[in-house]
């Protein structure tokens, strides 16, 4: 294992240069997040991911943010295990009726100030599942949303561009 | 192949004409119970159990002959004899039928709702739907009694980037004496959305039943449609579909191997496996325009052809992955502290694997040599050299090694496919005969065998479609796997299963 680690120290990193924050995301944040809240953004942010009914496709791409190519943590963004430790809720899915209360409770358990990012076409408006008896619709139907990152699923690059906008929102 | 007893039993019934490729037969309540006893006796394996207004349907597989058939029982009174009383793997499926369609399994051992948490605006959405008149009683978890037992409720919101579900552990100190799962949190009403959908809409929906198996689901849906409409698709399309299915398997097996090791606190493996996984997804995007390959497999063929230059890209990918994967396997093999966590952990008795017809790497790591690519040999797999890998140790370590073996197998299959890829068109229009029809398909996804059954209306829209995820027969075994293990090993066991919540909850 030691040779293994040594070899990797000598290898050049796979990590890609940082993308520019998404202009659409910056614009959305500018209209939704007020000045004082924006001053608190732009620092290291703890993210709690909540699957509120996704098909798990969005989760796969959120996971990918942690791989060596995207390396989310270099930007001071990291995933935490509890909403009590979170600044940002990253919510996926068309919010199923059976998950609505769990999402509301997770939101309530997150200390202020907090921001909500709705991921995927489902998180925006229910996507392909819109109109079902078992789905509420987009995340904004249940809790206030500050930023949408659409896509089915959004690629890790699109996710990164959206999240970087949170860091630059001041 | 030996003579099929199942076929003989089903011949007593009345065959439904427009069901392809396997027969569907209307049976009496007596035959229904005979089939239940055969399942309980291990003669046949349960492939699926679903309902619609006035009917329940049962799909079975006979491993000795390879015969597959569907039995349908009319339920004019809204009831049917419960199979779960004879054969436990049917229980959750029957609870789901009761929730969704409103048909009651008579003498069922467990009458609690399953997917319906009492929150939907409708009761029996796939049956005679109506607004609930009274609330469901509170859900009763099974009792566990004894001195110094305590309970640990977990979920539905979990600590990682994973799907929601509830786990109720009863533990004695560190040791789990019982785990009870409660699922249904991500029920999206997919079957309801499918009824009346156009083929295009339905293909998109079925491709999102479980996003990680989008190719396998889209393939199962497409093959069921093609069976129902007697559509012949171009040969090249078969080969490209298999290529995508293997890319999907490769990506997720790499991811799973890393994730299992990570849950044994060996993060190095995750870091490297995640790189391999990302390389596969990037190659998929370069070749077919979508990282997860969503919406590329469609009824009638594939939506996008593979360019000649992309063949070289994929060959390079295979070579590169082989080079990078070999030392990772060596690392796993040589890290005693890691194997200390995985060997002997999460053991599932092979008899349970057989009884539940548990598929995929979990089934094969427990001695069940079932692989739909091989067993129901849809094209082009009958022309490719490969046979299912199996092990008998049936623990977390076995599931890791099985996936390692299947990574190698998928790489070899991709090479074979690229070598033999026929030329020609990749898509035809689905035949529109103006007649209703029924079709079924069984496809091996990375997680196990996916069943899709459907009936099409004469106008080409979907009348009823039922997708059955492999997880239905895997989740119950996770409850068995954790018994006697320590609570701290649950994430490890769970990752080694990697059941789909979305695919199960529908
Ligand atoms: S946006 Fe697409 S990938 Fe994400 S949860 Fe919805 S269907 Fe799945």
């Amino acid at each position: 294992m030691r040779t293994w680690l040594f070899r990797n120290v000598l290898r050049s990193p796979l990590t890609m240069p940082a993308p520019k924050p998404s202009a659409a995301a910056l614009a959305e944040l500018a209209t939704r997040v007020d000045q004082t809240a924006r001053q608190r953004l732009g620092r290291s942010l703890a993210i709690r991911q909540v699957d509120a009914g996704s098909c798990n496709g969005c989760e796969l791409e959120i996971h990918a943010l942690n791989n060596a190519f995207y390396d989310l943590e270099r930007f001071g963004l990291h995933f935490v295990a509890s909403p009590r430790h979170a600044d940002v809720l990253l919510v996926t899915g068309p919010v199923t009726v059976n998950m609505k209360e769990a999402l509301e409770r997770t939101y309530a358990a997150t200390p202020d100030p907090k921001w909500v990012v709705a991921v995927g076409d489902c998180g925006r408006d229910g996507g392909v599942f819109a109109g079902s008896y078992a789905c509420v619709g987009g995340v904004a139907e249940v809790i206030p949303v500050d930023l949408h990152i659409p896509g089915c699923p959004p690629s890790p690059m699109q996710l990164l561009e959206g999240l970087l906008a949170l860091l630059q929102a001041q | 192949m030996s003579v099929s007893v199942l076929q003989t039993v089903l011949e007593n019934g009345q065959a439904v004409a427009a069901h392809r490729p396997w027969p569907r037969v209307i049976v009496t309540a007596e035959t229904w119970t005979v089939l239940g006893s055969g399942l309980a006796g291990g003669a046949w394996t349960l492939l699926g159990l679903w309902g619609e207004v006035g009917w329940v349907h049962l799909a079975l597989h006979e491993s000795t002959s390879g015969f597959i058939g569907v039995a349908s029982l009319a339920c004019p009174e809204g009831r049917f004899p419960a199979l779960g009383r004879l054969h436990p793997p049917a229980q959750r499926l029957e609870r789901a039928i009761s929730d969704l369609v409103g048909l009651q399994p008579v003498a069922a051992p467990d009458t609690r709702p399953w997917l319906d948490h009492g929150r939907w605006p409708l009761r029996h959405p796939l049956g005679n739907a109506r607004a609930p008149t009274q609330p469901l009683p509170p859900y009763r978890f099974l009792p566990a009694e004894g001195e110094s037992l305590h309970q640990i409720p977990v979920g539905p919101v979990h600590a990682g980037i994973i799907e929601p579900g509830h786990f109720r552990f009863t533990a004695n100190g560190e040791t789990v004496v019982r785990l009870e799962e409660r699922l249904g949190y991500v029920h999206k009403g997919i079957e309801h959305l499918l009824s009346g959908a156009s083929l295009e809409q339905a293909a998109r929906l079925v491709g999102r039943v479980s996003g990680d198996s989008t190719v396998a689901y889209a393939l199962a849906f497409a093959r069921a449609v093609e069976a129902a409409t007697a559509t012949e698709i171009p040969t090249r399309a078969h080969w490209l579909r298999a290529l995508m299915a293997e890319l999907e398997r490769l990506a997720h097996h790499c991811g799973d191997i890393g994730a299992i090791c990570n849950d044994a606190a060996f993060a190095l493996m995750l870091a490297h496996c995640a790189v391999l996984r990302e390389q596969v997804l990037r190659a998929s995007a370069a070749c077919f325009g979508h990282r997860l390959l969503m919406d590329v497999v469609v009824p009638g063929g594939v939506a996008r052809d593979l360019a000649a230059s992309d063949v070289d890209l994929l060959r390079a990918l295979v070579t590169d992955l082989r080079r990078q994967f070999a030392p990772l396997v060596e690392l796993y093999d040589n890290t005693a502290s890691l194997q200390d966590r995985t060997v002997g952990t999460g053991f599932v008795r092979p008899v349970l694997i057989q009884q539940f017809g548990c598929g995929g790497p979990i089934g094969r790591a427990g001695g069940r040599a079932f692989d739909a690519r091989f067993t129901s040999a849809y094209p082009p797999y009958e022309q490719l050299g490969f046979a299912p890998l199996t092990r008998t140790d049936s623990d977390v370590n076995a599931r890791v090694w099985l996936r390692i073996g299947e990574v190698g197998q998928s790489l070899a299959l991709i090479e074979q496919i690229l070598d033999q890829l026929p030329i020609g068109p990749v898509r035809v229009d689905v035949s529109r005969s103006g007649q209703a029809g029924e079709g079924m398909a069984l496809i091996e996804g990375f997680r196990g065998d996916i069943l899709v059954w459907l009936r099409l209306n004469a106008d080409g829209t979907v009348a009823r479609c039922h997708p059955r995820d492999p997880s239905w027969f895997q989740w119950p075994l996770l409850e068995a796997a954790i018994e006697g293990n320590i609570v701290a090993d649950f994430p490890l066991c769970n990752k080694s299963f990697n059941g789909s919540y979305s695919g199960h909850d529908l």
Side-chain angles (χ1 to χ4, degrees):
Chain A
M1 182 150 94
R2 244 178 276 149
T3 39
W4 174 275
L5 290 172
F6 189 63
R7 208 174 332 139
N8 282 311
V9 168
L10 297 181
R11 202 166 80 169
S12 63
L14 296 166
T15 314
M16 304 164 67
K20 281 216 171 50
S22 140
L26 282 174
E28 186 180 3
L29 284 169
T31 60
R32 292 195 198 224
V33 182
D34 69 26
Q35 190 57 39
T36 39
R38 265 187 263 157
Q39 274 163 2
R40 303 210 195 200
L41 276 170
R43 299 192 293 200
S44 175
L45 294 174
I47 305 173
R48 178 69 179 86
Q49 198 267 332
V50 184
D51 175 339
S54 108
C55 78
N56 79 28
C58 281
E59 276 63 32
L60 295 174
E61 295 297 51
I62 293 172
H63 254 296
L65 288 172
N66 280 324
N67 75 33
F69 291 90
Y70 306 105
D71 188 18
L72 188 69
E73 297 218 7
R74 72 186 141 139
F75 303 107
L77 298 165
H78 60 284
F79 289 100
V80 292
S82 166
R84 304 247 184 238
H85 304 157
D87 307 301
V88 177
L89 291 182
L90 194 64
V91 187
T92 61
V95 191
T96 59
V97 174
N98 288 351
M99 271 305 287
K100 179 168 176 277
E101 187 191 339
L103 176 60
E104 287 164 344
R105 288 216 211 171
T106 308
Y107 182 75
T110 311
D112 280 320
K114 55 191 165 194
W115 295 273
V116 175
V117 181
V119 172
D121 289 353
C122 289
R124 187 184 53 196
D125 56 13
V128 290
F129 308 110
S132 164
Y133 66 89
C135 297
V136 182
V139 177
E141 304 276 330
V142 182
I143 53 174
V145 173
D146 300 293
L147 175 65
H148 290 86
I149 307 180
C152 186
S155 68
M157 227 18 158
Q158 288 165 325
L159 287 165
L160 205 50
E161 287 163 359
L163 292 174
L164 289 185
L166 278 182
L167 292 181
Q168 296 214 351
Q170 72 268 51
Chain B
M1 292 249 165
S2 54
V3 177
S4 168
V5 182
L6 178 58
Q7 189 173 7
T8 320
V9 173
L10 289 182
E11 271 165 7
N12 292 326
Q14 178 196 340
V16 175
H19 191 275
R20 281 178 291 256
W22 299 293
R24 178 163 87 83
V25 172
I26 296 171
V27 298
T28 59
E30 289 74 55
T31 309
W32 184 262
T33 310
V34 168
L35 292 170
S37 310
L39 284 170
W44 309 310
T45 310
L46 179 61
L47 280 185
L49 180 60
W50 65 99
E52 59 182 319
V53 180
W55 292 93
V56 275
H57 308 288
L58 167 68
L60 308 108
H61 172 245
E62 185 175 68
S63 59
T64 47
S65 66
F67 184 82
I68 290 175
V70 180
S72 302
L73 177 70
C75 319
E77 326 249 281
R79 287 191 301 257
F80 63 99
L83 298 176
R85 147 183 81 89
L86 307 164
H87 190 55
Q91 285 181 16
R92 287 182 179 175
L93 289 158
E94 287 178 341
R95 289 165 71 186
I97 291 174
S98 161
D99 287 351
L100 297 175
V101 193
L103 300 171
Q104 293 313 315
V106 176
D110 189 343
T111 54
R112 293 173 299 168
W114 181 237
L115 300 177
D116 189 348
H117 291 191
R119 296 168 185 265
W120 303 332
L122 295 178
R123 253 326 107 82
H124 312 143
L126 301 179
N128 300 317
R130 59 174 77 95
T133 46
Q134 59 197 52
L136 289 180
Y139 193 80
R140 283 175 298 106
F141 283 92
L142 299 175
E145 284 163 13
E147 234 176 286
S148 68
L149 294 186
H150 62 283
Q151 286 203 334
I152 313 172
V154 179
V157 178
H158 294 174
I161 305 172
I162 47 171
E163 299 180 77
H166 182 87
F167 299 116
R168 184 69 57 105
F169 296 93
T170 305
N172 185 353
E174 275 294 302
T175 310
V176 179
V177 294
R178 164 176 281 165
L179 161 65
E180 187 179 354
E181 297 156 356
R182 186 173 188 212
L183 302 176
Y185 288 92
V186 283
H187 175 80
K188 293 181 268 293
I190 293 176
E191 287 173 283
H192 191 255
L193 289 169
L194 282 168
S195 297
S198 69
L199 286 186
E200 292 69 32
Q201 289 167 326
R204 285 177 62 81
L205 271 166
V206 177
R208 286 159 179 79
V209 168
S210 183
D212 51 14
S213 306
T214 180
V215 174
Y217 267 101
L219 177 51
F221 178 76
R223 285 190 61 81
V225 169
E226 288 149 15
T229 55
T231 303
E232 281 290 330
I233 69 159
T235 323
R236 184 174 169 87
H238 284 306
W239 288 76
L240 290 178
R241 286 173 170 188
L243 177 62
M244 286 184 251
E246 295 310 321
L247 286 170
E248 180 172 270
R249 193 177 333 273
L250 198 54
H252 295 311
H253 275 4
C254 286
D256 282 350
I257 294 166
I260 296 169
C261 295
N262 190 51
D263 276 356
F266 198 68
L268 181 66
M269 198 75 170
L270 175 67
H272 285 277
C273 287
V275 168
L276 302 188
R277 181 172 189 286
E278 178 69 20
Q279 286 173 316
V280 178
L281 299 189
R282 288 180 174 205
S284 301
C287 297
F288 296 104
H290 193 286
R291 285 166 52 91
L292 304 180
L293 300 166
M294 274 178 173
D295 307 322
V296 188
V297 175
V298 292
V302 294
R304 209 174 135 144
D305 199 0
L306 182 73
S309 56
D310 290 337
V311 172
D312 299 332
L313 185 152
L314 289 175
R315 278 189 205 284
L317 175 78
V318 169
T319 315
D320 202 25
L321 289 188
R322 272 213 186 101
R323 184 182 53 78
Q324 297 178 66
F325 193 58
L328 287 173
V329 177
E330 214 181 287
L331 182 64
Y332 180 79
D333 205 10
N334 291 335
T335 308
S337 61
L338 178 55
Q339 294 194 358
D340 185 45
R341 294 287 308 278
T342 58
V343 176
T345 307
F347 173 74
V348 184
R349 280 183 297 133
V351 288
L352 280 180
I353 300 241
Q354 293 291 348
Q355 184 188 18
F356 276 76
C358 171
I362 309 167
R364 291 190 285 276
R368 182 168 180 259
F370 182 89
D371 185 321
R373 291 175 292 175
F374 193 74
T375 319
S376 67
Y378 45 95
Y381 288 102
E382 80 281 17
Q383 293 176 55
L384 297 171
F386 102 103
L389 304 171
T390 53
R391 291 175 70 96
T392 51
D393 34 355
S394 205
D395 55 4
V396 173
N397 178 55
R399 289 171 216 129
V400 171
W401 278 110
L402 205 104
R403 288 183 174 98
I404 289 175
E406 292 193 355
V407 165
Q409 210 169 40
S410 283
L411 288 170
L413 283 169
I414 290 173
E415 264 179 344
Q416 288 188 47
I417 293 170
L418 295 175
D419 287 342
Q420 302 176 45
L421 194 62
I423 48 170
V426 295
R427 189 172 183 179
V428 292
D429 288 336
V430 173
S431 319
R432 306 252 182 204
S433 58
Q435 298 198 340
E438 298 178 349
M440 190 163 102
L442 191 66
I443 296 297
E444 189 72 18
F446 83 98
R447 182 176 281 122
D449 51 301
I450 292 167
L451 179 92
V452 168
W453 177 87
L454 53 78
R455 179 185 299 124
L456 299 182
N457 292 316
D459 65 0
T461 56
V462 176
R464 173 86 174 90
C465 174
H466 172 73
R468 193 272 299 144
D469 197 84
S471 308
W472 277 100
F473 305 126
Q474 297 172 339
W475 280 119
L477 297 187
L478 181 60
E479 293 182 350
I482 188 66
E483 217 179 285
N485 286 252
I486 57 171
V487 178
D489 275 343
F490 178 69
L492 193 55
C493 295
N494 193 16
K495 273 286 161 40
S496 78
F497 269 64
N498 189 15
S500 173
Y501 300 71
S502 182
H504 169 281
D505 293 354
L506 274 176

